[in-house]
Amino acid sequence: MKVGFLSIGRSSVDLREAKIALFDGGHTCGPLLSVDEPSEIDWALSQLRTICDAIVIDGDHDAFYATFKDRLSTHPENFELDGKLYSVTSECDAAYLSEKLVPMLNSKNKRSRYQVIVFKTFGKTEAELRAMLKDHIKTRSKIRIGFFPSFSECEVHARGPATMPQAEFNATLNDINQILYKCTYSFDRISIAERVAQMLREQGLKLKVAESFTGGALAQAFTSIPGASEYFTEGLVTYSVGSKTNRLGLSPNELAKHGVVSNNTAYGMSVGLLESGDCDIAISTTGNAGPTAVFGAVGLCFISIGDRNEVHTMRYTFGGDRDENIARAVKNALFLLYSYLDSREARETARSARETGERQF
């Protein structure tokens, strides 16, 4: 079914979440129309009825029901009229979409139910992901693939009929996973910060953060998650030169030589965290978020990450405004942490397997 949305006076519709919930349920998302005046409701409904099988209403319910006052004796949440389904909600949030709207649509639709696997990816555009999966995007394929971008991320949903043999479904998913492995950080609908937090807890590691470019936003990404004290030791916003020298031990001469916006400074910030103790991993950011820059270009950013064995520094150039640049730096720092922890886990698994093999012999 194709579902349209009508917001009257205000809108609580998250269209991206609606597209995801409807795709997973085997339906499609139509347009969202917003009106401010009751006199506009009839026109908006006529537009949606021409192309949609079902219409979701949020906002001024009384104004909506007044449109049908001669045809409805009550104010039902869900009803069918002239071959169209209507659903009225006070909040068109993820819970309503998955727990009320999709089940209501499915009750009217006798088609097969679906099984869905999610690939949470980072760093690839929708166009790039489509190109990578071009052999799987076929009109006759039993498995449909949906792409749902958001900022630097894109959720890839692979949907197959519930009646599809599990071995056949898994074979395709394994193939997709091989293609998307390097840019996938989770198979659950969680954020990168939540995934990194899980991995830090699972691996029993402690983290410290020093920020200049991101101004505390990276630490906030962790402390907003319940239970952060299990793995998050300290977050420093070392914004000034004095703060970098006094709190992190960077040399004034080295700062003067290389500048605060440099590979060396980011590296030194992470080393300073590691040398202060009580952490296994350190990550730092420095650069020019904007709108102006004293050293280097606006958007230039260095992110350093490492442990007591080695520290690596990455250089980025972001092209947005100040808030966008900070947000992108946070996301990239989190994905660097994910990649580091994923590699570490793989190394530990391989080492454990070798030791087990040696004991067996």
Side-chain angles (χ1 to χ4, degrees), residues 266-268 270-271 274 282 284 304-313:
Y267 176 89
S270 288
V271 170
L274 291 164
S284 62
S304 184
I305 179 173
D307 53 29
R308 296 185 183 280
N309 295 317
E310 55 183 350
V311 175
H312 299 283
T313 305

Side-chain angles (χ1 to χ4, degrees), residues 218-268:
L218 181 55
Q220 196 274 334
F222 289 112
T223 56
S224 64
I225 301 170
S229 59
E230 294 179 40
Y231 57 86
F232 189 75
T233 303
E234 184 178 31
L236 300 176
V237 181
T238 53
Y239 221 58
S240 68
V241 171
S243 179
K244 290 179 177 65
T245 58
N246 295 332
R247 299 300 300 275
L248 297 172
L250 273 72
S251 163
N253 292 334
E254 287 296 306
L255 284 171
K257 178 180 179 181
H258 299 287
V260 292
V261 179
S262 66
N263 183 304
N264 294 71
T265 296
Y267 176 89

Side-chain angles (χ1 to χ4, degrees), residues 73-113:
S73 58
T74 61
H75 292 178
E77 289 185 359
N78 301 309
F79 64 94
E80 187 173 352
L81 196 62
D82 298 329
K84 303 293 181 181
L85 296 175
Y86 294 84
S87 181
V88 183
T89 180
S90 57
E91 278 303 320
C92 189
D93 56 13
Y96 160 78
L97 291 164
S98 62
E99 298 171 14
K100 293 186 177 181
L101 178 62
V102 171
M104 185 270 288
L105 297 174
N106 288 344
S107 70
K108 302 293 183 179
N109 192 322
K110 303 306 181 184
R111 291 186 303 174
S112 170
R113 299 298 179 260

Side-chain angles (χ1 to χ4, degrees), residues 277-305:
D278 196 25
C279 75
D280 305 291
I281 310 168
I283 188 164
S284 62
T285 70
T286 188
N288 299 312
T292 60
V294 177
F295 303 101
V298 170
L300 177 62
C301 177
F302 294 91
I303 302 176
S304 184
I305 179 173

Side-chain angles (χ1 to χ4, degrees), residues 29-197:
C29 186
L32 165 64
L33 299 182
S34 297
V35 300
D36 294 320
E37 300 297 331
S39 59
E40 300 173 314
I41 295 175
D42 269 332
W43 171 85
L45 287 174
S46 68
Q47 300 302 305
L48 292 172
R49 278 193 292 257
T50 60
I51 57 174
C52 298
D53 306 296
I55 301 170
V56 174
I57 312 296
D58 83 316
D60 189 344
H61 298 168
D62 291 336
F64 168 74
Y65 286 120
T67 303
F68 295 98
K69 62 183 178 180
D70 297 329
R71 307 181 68 183
L72 293 174
S73 58
T74 61
H75 292 178
E77 289 185 359
N78 301 309
F79 64 94
E80 187 173 352
L81 196 62
D82 298 329
K84 303 293 181 181
L85 296 175
Y86 294 84
S87 181
V88 183
T89 180
S90 57
E91 278 303 320
C92 189
D93 56 13
Y96 160 78
L97 291 164
S98 62
E99 298 171 14
K100 293 186 177 181
L101 178 62
V102 171
M104 185 270 288
L105 297 174
N106 288 344
S107 70
K108 302 293 183 179
N109 192 322
K110 303 306 181 184
R111 291 186 303 174
S112 170
R113 299 298 179 260
Y114 297 93
Q115 49 187 329
V116 179
I117 293 295
V118 177
F119 298 84
K120 290 276 284 190
T121 73
F122 176 83
K124 298 291 184 183
T125 65
E126 179 181 347
E128 290 171 328
L129 291 167
R130 285 184 177 276
M132 293 166 69
L133 296 174
K134 63 181 185 300
D135 291 338
H136 290 280
I137 305 173
K138 302 173 182 176
T139 56
R140 294 185 180 181
S141 174
K142 292 181 182 178
I143 294 182
R144 301 289 184 176
I145 300 177
F147 299 85
F148 307 99
S150 176
F151 205 47
S152 301
E153 299 184 54
C154 186
E155 285 189 34
V156 180
H157 288 221
R159 185 191 75 202
T163 55
M164 186 176 184
Q166 197 64 48
E168 183 182 352
F169 187 58
N170 290 344
T172 302
L173 294 179
N174 288 335
D175 194 18
I176 293 173
N177 186 43
Q178 289 296 317
I179 296 170
L180 300 183
Y181 174 75
K182 289 186 178 180
C183 60
T184 297
Y185 67 83
S186 179
F187 301 103
D188 297 314
R189 297 201 66 208
I190 60 175
S191 68
I192 305 181
E194 289 171 318
R195 180 66 185 119
V196 170

